[in-house]
């Protein structure tokens, strides 16, 4: 099973015939294909149908399940939400809204000159407008054993829950990584009263964004909550024969029966190399979600969007941003001229410590970063500036400053 974007790429079921036909032969005026069935793609389809009952819409999705909420996966793992409540749509929703849903399939090729896409089952679907709403791949360790877990898809959550159910108490577990997913693993493992060791390559969490005091504030909070922290620990190998028993790093080894891996995500764009699209870290689009090719839009985790607040092309990477981008793409496909001007916001809580990211926090893009608060005060704020204008901020245990900084970034 190969991990691709939002999904696992599996053997395709026997394909069903598609009602999509060559241009000019259908009863609808416009044929729109959406690649990706996550929140961005589904929001786009939903908005299109809301605005028009005439356009033909097809969603090509690698996953075999209807849309579900990634945000709810940690709650499902902690037993606070039933599995069925993770789903935001059911299979009937697509038919009820006259949206063709093609699950378990991948687009292998885009022919923009002749306006068609080629699917893994050999079919070619013509389009008038194309929306690329793919996802991101989880970065994986170079080796694998039973006990290694990731957390990006519903299948990942099911696998992790199975591993957790098999463990005795007390049980030693590990987390490798220093970002959002690593934080989710910590919260989940703490919920089950596991003995946790956290290791990461940098000096602290989000080491490319946070300053030394912000990082140290998080590290101390973890230690205060009886978590062993191993900063600047490079992964060497897994220990165990068939099942995980521990992890070797260049700093020290630690025992664990489960290792939650959160070492980053990468946009699924390798298949677009010969597409003619302008690709950087993601598919480059303007603030209207338009690519460099006519009639092709990109949204969500694979879109490198022009940020109107910072003047910077970047991947937004949040659930809310993906949802809004989907709606804006739909509106512009149907002739409007809407702009994505949202200030992105990502909020998480690590065992009671609030961590917030607002806007553009790329240190290389910013001209200046100002710091408010301190480790001794128990809260730190970083404000990122470009040409003397605030473009982003990080807040560690300073939630009360969020509204002020959001307004400053919006200008």
């Amino acid at each position: 099973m190969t991990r691709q974007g939002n999904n696992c790429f599996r053997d395709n079921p026997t394909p069903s015939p598609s009602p999509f036909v060559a241009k000019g032969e259908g009863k609808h005026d416009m044929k729109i294909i959406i690649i990706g069935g996550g929140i961005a793609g589904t929001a786009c389809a939903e908005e299109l149908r809301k605005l028009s009952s005439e356009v033909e819409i097809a969603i090509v999705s690698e996953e075999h399940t209807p849309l579900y909420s990634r945000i709810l996966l940690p709650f499902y793992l902690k037993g606070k939400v039933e599995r069925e409540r993770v789903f935001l749509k059911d299979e009937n929703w697509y038919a009820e809204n006259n949206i063709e849903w093609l699950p378990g399939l991948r687009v292998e090729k885009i022919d923009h000159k002749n306006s068609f896409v080629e699917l893994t089952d050999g079919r070619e679907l013509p389009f008038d407008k194309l929306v690329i709403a793919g996802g991101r791949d989880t970065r994986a360790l170079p080796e694998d054993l039973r006990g290694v877990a990731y957390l990006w898809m519903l299948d990942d959550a099911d696998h992790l829950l199975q591993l957790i159910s098999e463990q005795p108490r007390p049980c030693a577990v590990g987390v490798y990584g220093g970002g959002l997913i690593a934080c989710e693993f910590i919260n989940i493992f703490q919920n089950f009263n596991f003995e946790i060791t956290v290791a990461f390559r940098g000096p602290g969490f989000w080491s490319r964004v946070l300053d030394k005091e912000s990082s140290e504030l998080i590290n101390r909070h973890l230690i205060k909550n009886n978590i062993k922290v191993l900063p600047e620990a490079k992964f060497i190998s897994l220990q165990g024969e068939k099942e995980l028993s521990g992890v070797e790093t260049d700093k020290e080894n630690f025992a664990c029966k489960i290792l939650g891996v959160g070492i980053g995500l990468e946009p699924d764009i390798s298949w677009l190399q010969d597409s003619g699209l302008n690709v950087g870290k993601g598919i480059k689009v303007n603030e209207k979600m338009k690519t460099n090719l006519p009639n092709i839009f990109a949204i969500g985790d694979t879109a490198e969007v022009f940020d109107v607040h910072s003047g910077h092309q970047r991947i937004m990477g949040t659930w809310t941003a993906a949802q809004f981008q989907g709606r804006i793409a739909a509106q512009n496909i149907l002739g409007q001229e809407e702009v994505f001007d949202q200030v992105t916001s990502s909020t998480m809580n690590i065992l009671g410590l609030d961590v917030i990211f607002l806007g553009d926090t790329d240190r290389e893009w910013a001209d200046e970063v100002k710091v408010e608060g301190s480790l001794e005060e128990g809260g730190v704020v970083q404000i990122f500036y470009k040409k003397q204008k605030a473009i982003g901020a990080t807040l560690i245990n300073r939630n009360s400053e969020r509204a002020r900084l959001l307004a400053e970034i919006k200008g």
Side-chain angles (χ1 to χ4, degrees):
M1 185 179 293
T2 303
R3 304 181 68 86
Q4 292 274 355
N6 287 343
N7 322 294
C8 283
F9 180 44
R10 307 172 181 175
D11 293 335
N12 297 321
T14 302
S16 57
S18 169
F20 267 47
V21 295
K23 285 186 176 182
E25 297 179 15
K27 63 179 181 179
H28 299 306
D29 293 331
M30 187 183 295
K31 300 175 179 64
I32 303 165
I33 295 176
I34 300 171
I35 304 173
I39 183 59
T42 305
C44 182
E46 193 166 25
E47 185 74 3
L48 284 166
R49 184 54 71 227
K50 175 183 174 183
L51 297 173
S52 171
S53 61
E54 296 300 310
V55 296
E56 290 187 23
I57 306 168
I59 298 176
V60 181
S61 175
E62 291 183 62
E63 292 203 72
H64 292 252
T65 59
L67 175 67
Y68 58 85
S69 171
R70 298 195 191 285
I71 296 170
L72 291 177
L73 292 182
F75 296 92
Y76 158 56
L77 284 162
K78 289 184 279 190
K80 296 181 179 180
V81 171
E82 295 294 327
R83 190 179 189 276
E84 56 268 23
R85 291 190 60 194
V86 172
F87 289 94
L88 302 179
K89 307 292 184 187
D90 60 29
E91 293 185 11
N92 296 326
W93 178 84
Y94 301 89
E96 289 167 357
N97 287 275
N98 194 23
I99 296 169
E100 185 184 12
W101 179 46
L102 300 171
L105 291 170
R106 178 183 175 89
V107 172
E108 288 195 327
K109 176 185 176 182
I110 297 173
D111 187 329
H112 71 90
K113 292 181 180 178
N114 297 299
S115 299
F116 73 85
V117 297
E118 183 179 321
L119 305 186
T120 46
D121 65 2
R123 277 183 290 175
E124 294 179 351
L125 302 183
F127 64 82
D128 294 305
K129 304 288 184 181
L130 177 67
V131 182
I132 304 172
R136 289 185 283 180
D137 295 330
T138 51
R139 292 195 185 110
L141 295 176
E143 52 187 298
D144 193 23
L145 283 173
R146 191 171 193 282
V148 175
Y150 298 86
L151 185 54
W152 187 237
M153 299 161 46
L154 181 57
D155 285 349
D156 296 331
D158 289 338
H159 175 243
L160 178 57
L161 196 59
Q162 177 63 35
L163 292 174
I164 289 171
S165 70
E166 296 170 359
Q167 305 310 316
R169 305 293 191 276
C171 175
V173 299
V175 177
Y176 187 69
L180 173 61
I181 295 175
C183 292
E184 295 290 8
F185 275 119
I186 291 170
N187 288 333
I188 292 163
F189 290 157
Q190 186 81 342
N191 182 73
F192 291 95
N193 297 313
F194 289 147
E195 299 171 0
I196 307 168
T197 299
V198 179
F200 35 80
R201 293 189 62 170
F205 275 73
W206 296 283
S207 57
R208 294 182 181 179
V209 177
L210 298 182
D211 65 333
K212 185 177 179 180
E213 294 221 341
S214 296
S215 295
E216 184 61 23
L217 187 60
I218 296 174
N219 289 351
R220 289 189 185 184
H221 179 75
L222 295 176
I223 293 169
K224 183 180 177 181
N225 281 272
N226 300 314
I227 294 173
K228 185 175 183 179
V229 178
L230 299 177
E232 298 180 298
K234 181 181 177 181
F235 174 84
I236 301 296
S237 67
L238 300 175
Q239 297 175 330
E241 294 186 7
K242 294 182 179 180
E243 295 195 0
L244 182 69
S245 62
V247 175
E248 179 185 357
T249 75
D250 64 352
K251 191 162 189 177
E252 67 176 82
N253 301 345
F254 59 91
C256 62
K257 299 294 289 182
I258 303 174
L259 178 67
V261 181
I263 53 177
L265 301 164
E266 294 179 325
D268 178 22
I269 56 174
S270 59
W271 62 286
L272 295 170
Q273 290 180 352
D274 300 320
S275 65
L277 290 163
N278 188 1
V279 175
K281 293 180 179 179
I283 304 166
K284 292 183 180 291
V285 298
N286 64 14
E287 63 273 25
K288 298 177 182 179
M289 306 296 110
K290 297 179 180 180
T291 70
N292 61 302
L293 297 179
N295 301 319
I296 300 182
F297 297 71
I299 55 179
D301 287 347
T302 54
E304 193 176 346
V305 183
F306 180 77
D307 187 331
V308 298
H309 299 287
S310 67
H312 185 204
Q313 206 93 23
R314 68 188 186 92
I315 296 173
M316 305 299 182
T318 70
W319 179 272
T320 305
Q323 188 175 37
F324 273 83
Q325 288 170 13
R327 292 172 181 167
I328 287 170
Q331 293 161 11
N332 291 338
I333 284 170
L334 296 178
Q336 300 180 34
E337 291 294 330
E338 298 298 323
V339 170
F340 179 80
D341 59 0
Q342 182 188 78
V343 175
T344 54
S345 175
S346 180
T347 303
M348 63 220 73
N349 184 285
I350 316 171
L351 306 181
L353 182 73
D354 288 324
V355 178
I356 301 171
F357 290 79
L358 299 175
D360 193 338
T361 57
D362 187 332
R363 281 187 172 274
E364 294 183 2
W365 180 250
D367 295 327
E368 182 183 10
V369 181
K370 294 181 179 179
V371 178
E372 298 176 357
S374 66
L375 184 62
E376 288 71 26
E377 294 175 49
V380 181
V381 171
Q382 293 183 119
I383 309 172
F384 295 71
Y385 290 90
K386 184 74 173 182
K387 297 179 181 179
Q388 300 182 323
K389 178 190 178 301
I391 61 171
T394 64
L395 301 81
I396 313 298
N397 208 32
R398 293 286 289 270
N399 192 26
S400 60
E401 301 294 324
R402 184 183 185 278
R404 171 181 70 87
L405 292 169
L406 191 60
E408 188 175 348
I409 296 166
K410 286 181 178 178

